Amino acid sequence: MNVWTYTFLLLMAFNVGGEEFCHLRDNEPCTGNNANKYVTQVDSGEINERYDRYFKAIDDAQKNFVEVNCTKNRCFKDIITKDLKPFKLRGINKKLIDVAKSRGTFYQIIDGQLYREKDCMFPSRCSGIEHFIFEIINKLPDMDLVINTRDYPQTNQHFGEPLPIFSFSKTSQYFDIMYPTWSFWEGGPAIALYPRGLGRWDLHRKSLNAASENLPWPQKKAKAFFRGSRTSSERDNLILLSRKEPDLVDAQYTKNQAWKSDNDTLHVPPALEAPLESHCEYKYLFNYRGVAASFRHKHLFLCRSLVFHVGDEWLEFYYTLMKPWIHYIPVPKNASQSELRELIKFARDNDEISEKIANKGRDFIWQNLTMSNVIAYWRILLKRYSKLLLYKPVLGKSLIRIYKK
């Protein structure tokens, strides 16, 4: 199939709101029933044949795509089933919980009250978790919980039996049970712009939606954008490409807590941090993992910008519901500067397709990742988890009672 056929099929596949597309080639006029419909112009002389694989990837994605609707949280149940599967056959006994305790924060729910071991490694993260538990505690039975507040998952498939540990993010190499991260409420990464952390997803939804409405697609800058600290060398090539081609990419490193000198930002002084809302000025936004999954992932989509999501190893609970080439453009984690340049230019050269992927990604996050759905996920997850416990929890003497703020 040639490039022209791909382009036509793709534009038809991305048809929204009943629009039809009239395809112009070599200035051929639109006639007949399509004369007043949406028009896209493509100059065949400017299309590089190396884009063929991207057109084919989009075409293949469309063929296999099934629209996700998280009404009544049906879409989340399969994810929870998969995470709990390692414990379904044998159940969860007290010995497993006791072994898991050293790798997370131990909680108990007894008679509708929440208890926790006295010390929490990250108090604001525990507070974010406790907020969601309090939202549903009246609907929960008694249970023991080990919730990991570190960035990194704890129970590796290659080292011992699965342990019932809850973590916000993992790769396929881990048994950890994913839960919606604390940063939906508080305890997100604290930077100068967000000294109390990147919390309150409900407020960010409103502010980013407003910013995106004020910056519709045609008014956005047609370049890629990234701001963040150097938590992973995977980000280096985009930074270096930006220094070579600033008209294509604006990507710079900022400080983090480990920063000591310009050596920590690839020998250039660190840039200022950028508010999330300012990201909406750009058509193309890059999302990189940090130590684990990126906390900014969900925020970027609400800009109605096209997200380039780098790597596919690290997951949060909702990632598998979002599909490459439908909701975002996938980027290999080890992408070279030339690969990054080509992907960005593909997006620029195919503006209509890029805008539609951007809108698909935004609509998924806006419609499905609501605060009510986050709370519902917690509820379904903990109720189903509690049914796997093979013993009746007894309140530990050393635990303290946690009160709702």
Side-chain angles (χ1 to χ4, degrees), residues 151-152 229 231-232 234-235 288-295 314:
D151 290 334
Y152 216 77
S229 62
T231 53
S232 169
E234 292 175 11
R235 306 174 175 194
Y288 286 90
R289 72 171 180 90
V291 177
S294 167
F295 288 105
W314 288 94

Side-chain angles (χ1 to χ4, degrees), residues 289-345:
R289 72 171 180 90
V291 177
S294 167
F295 288 105
R296 85 184 79 202
H297 178 271
K298 56 187 176 290
H299 299 79
L300 299 182
F301 286 93
L302 291 189
C303 276
R304 288 186 175 90
S305 298
L306 175 58
V307 174
F308 288 77
H309 181 54
V310 183
D312 59 3
E313 295 177 308
W314 288 94
L315 303 172
E316 288 190 69
F317 74 97
Y318 63 93
Y319 278 21
T320 56
L321 299 176
M322 302 188 74
K323 304 303 178 184
W325 298 108
I326 300 291
H327 300 112
Y328 62 89
I329 287 185
V331 182
K333 68 176 183 179
N334 57 351
S336 66
Q337 293 179 48
S338 61
E339 288 175 301
L340 294 169
R341 179 190 298 109
E342 184 175 294
L343 277 167
I344 298 167
K345 287 187 174 180

Side-chain angles (χ1 to χ4, degrees), residues 194 203-221 274-283 285 299-305 362 366:
Y194 306 103
L203 300 182
H204 284 300
R205 277 173 56 89
K206 294 177 182 178
S207 64
L208 286 166
N209 187 58
S212 70
E213 288 179 341
N214 290 331
L215 286 162
W217 183 263
Q219 295 179 22
K220 294 177 184 286
K221 300 174 185 176
L276 287 168
E277 291 77 13
S278 70
H279 288 56
C280 299
E281 297 174 15
Y282 299 85
K283 284 188 174 181
L285 301 177
H299 299 79
L300 299 182
F301 286 93
L302 291 189
C303 276
R304 288 186 175 90
S305 298
R362 181 267 175 190
W366 181 257

Side-chain angles (χ1 to χ4, degrees), residues 222-256:
K223 64 166 61 177
F225 183 79
F226 173 79
R227 285 292 184 278
S229 62
R230 194 171 180 245
T231 53
S232 169
S233 61
E234 292 175 11
R235 306 174 175 194
D236 288 354
N237 276 334
L238 187 70
I239 303 299
L240 295 173
L241 177 61
S242 175
R243 295 175 187 176
K244 292 178 182 177
E245 300 187 44
D247 291 337
L248 186 69
V249 187
D250 181 353
Q252 300 181 59
Y253 278 138
T254 59
K255 284 185 179 181
N256 61 18

Side-chain angles (χ1 to χ4, degrees), residues 51-68:
Y51 290 170
D52 277 4
R53 66 183 184 275
Y54 302 141
F55 287 124
K56 187 176 187 304
I58 298 173
D59 189 35
D60 290 344
Q62 282 291 325
K63 289 176 182 176
N64 299 312
F65 178 61
V66 177
E67 194 76 51
V68 170

Side-chain angles (χ1 to χ4, degrees), residues 166-180:
F166 290 80
S167 292
F168 94 94
S169 172
K170 68 175 180 179
T171 72
S172 61
Q173 302 300 309
Y174 288 84
F175 289 118
D176 298 51
I177 303 162
M178 288 186 291
Y179 66 90

